[in-house]
Amino acid sequence: MAKFKTILLFGAPGSGKGTQGKMLGTLPGYKHVACGDVFRSIDLNSEVGKVFLQYSSKGELVPDDFTVRLWKEHIDKLVTIGAFKPDQTILVLDGIPRNVHQAEMLDEHIDVIKLICLRAVHNRDEMVRRLKSRALKENRLDDANEETIRHRLEVYDTESRPVLAHYPKAGRVDVDAIQEPIEVAHDILSAILGRTEELHTIDVPPPPIGAKR
């Protein structure tokens, strides 16, 4: 089976991946799938729901095999009902892969044509504020706990950020996530269209020692 042509939206919790993914998914030829939405559709009283809850309630990542299997079943369902047509549509993913192992598992399913990294380089407090505001707005009170939020950001730093080194740097574009949403959307579209000279500038720290370039 051919791999799905895919754009990855990557970034820490609160960086705006979901907002930008939804906007991009409204355009003809793009299908947005958020891993978080897939998880939130789970019946928490079911067996898989209980597995998910015991991890997510602590701000921890669920097991990789469980995550990728659930994601693939969701994609297959979209194909079956005609909501995603891989031969005509580019898949836009956010929230997956969350670590290098997941990225390796997804390699057999997706062909990453662009990786958009939403960065909030010097403003961790703004990310915390965004996550608390979102949790309260969506009535997800457990996610509004600041200690849980900061733990999620630490998990991102240790588990998720190394994923960037899994993909060729030539296919990656860094976008300033602390801009207004419309400015972020402008930069994402510029990146997809190859007009990188139109992006707003952003100072990105060097990758960790030993990471691929």
Side-chain angles (χ1 to χ4, degrees), residues 27-93:
L27 300 177
Y30 295 89
K31 177 64 179 179
H32 172 236
V33 174
C35 195
D37 290 342
V38 175
F39 281 138
R40 282 188 284 274
S41 68
I42 299 173
D43 179 0
L44 296 181
N45 293 317
S46 67
E47 183 176 348
V48 292
K50 291 175 181 177
V51 172
F52 169 70
L53 191 59
Q54 71 182 28
Y55 289 92
S56 64
S57 62
K58 301 174 186 177
E60 297 177 354
L61 301 179
V62 297
D64 296 336
D65 291 347
F66 175 87
T67 298
V68 174
R69 175 169 59 87
L70 191 65
W71 170 84
K72 185 59 167 57
E73 289 176 356
H74 182 76
I75 295 295
D76 290 343
K77 185 183 299 183
L78 293 177
V79 173
T80 298
I81 65 176
F84 170 47
K85 299 179 180 179
D87 58 333
Q88 303 174 22
T89 308
I90 294 174
L91 189 61
V92 179
L93 294 183

Side-chain angles (χ1 to χ4, degrees), residues 22-206:
K22 289 175 183 176
M23 292 175 65
L24 193 54
T26 63
L27 300 177
Y30 295 89
K31 177 64 179 179
H32 172 236
V33 174
C35 195
D37 290 342
V38 175
F39 281 138
R40 282 188 284 274
S41 68
I42 299 173
D43 179 0
L44 296 181
N45 293 317
S46 67
E47 183 176 348
V48 292
K50 291 175 181 177
V51 172
F52 169 70
L53 191 59
Q54 71 182 28
Y55 289 92
S56 64
S57 62
K58 301 174 186 177
E60 297 177 354
L61 301 179
V62 297
D64 296 336
D65 291 347
F66 175 87
T67 298
V68 174
R69 175 169 59 87
L70 191 65
W71 170 84
K72 185 59 167 57
E73 289 176 356
H74 182 76
I75 295 295
D76 290 343
K77 185 183 299 183
L78 293 177
V79 173
T80 298
I81 65 176
F84 170 47
K85 299 179 180 179
D87 58 333
Q88 303 174 22
T89 308
I90 294 174
L91 189 61
V92 179
L93 294 183
D94 83 69
I96 191 170
R98 292 197 173 188
N99 58 46
V100 174
H101 185 216
Q102 287 185 12
E104 293 171 345
M105 296 176 69
L106 286 174
D107 281 345
E108 66 175 291
H109 302 298
I110 63 175
D111 174 18
V112 179
I113 60 176
K114 189 74 68 175
L115 190 158
I116 309 294
C117 184
L118 300 177
R119 292 185 179 270
V121 179
H122 304 298
N123 206 331
R124 181 57 59 94
D125 288 340
E126 171 63 13
M127 307 297 276
V128 173
R129 186 198 67 76
R130 285 187 181 188
L131 286 167
K132 289 178 71 173
S133 176
R134 184 181 71 183
L136 292 172
K137 183 178 180 180
E138 298 179 2
N139 199 31
R140 293 155 54 184
L141 300 183
D142 288 343
D143 287 348
N145 180 278
E146 185 163 333
E147 184 178 349
T148 299
I149 290 171
R150 291 193 180 276
H151 177 64
R152 288 177 62 195
L153 292 170
E154 290 172 2
V155 170
Y156 169 81
D157 287 337
T158 57
E159 297 285 338
S160 299
R161 196 163 167 244
V163 170
L164 292 174
H166 180 75
Y167 298 101
K169 189 174 181 180
R172 188 180 93 209
V173 176
D174 296 303
V175 171
D176 184 358
I178 304 299
Q179 303 177 93
E180 291 298 320
I182 191 66
E183 294 176 313
V184 177
H186 169 274
D187 283 358
I188 289 174
L189 290 174
S190 296
I192 292 172
L193 295 172
R195 300 171 182 170
T196 53
E197 73 280 357
E198 297 181 14
L199 269 64
H200 298 88
T201 58
I202 176 173
D203 294 325
V204 178

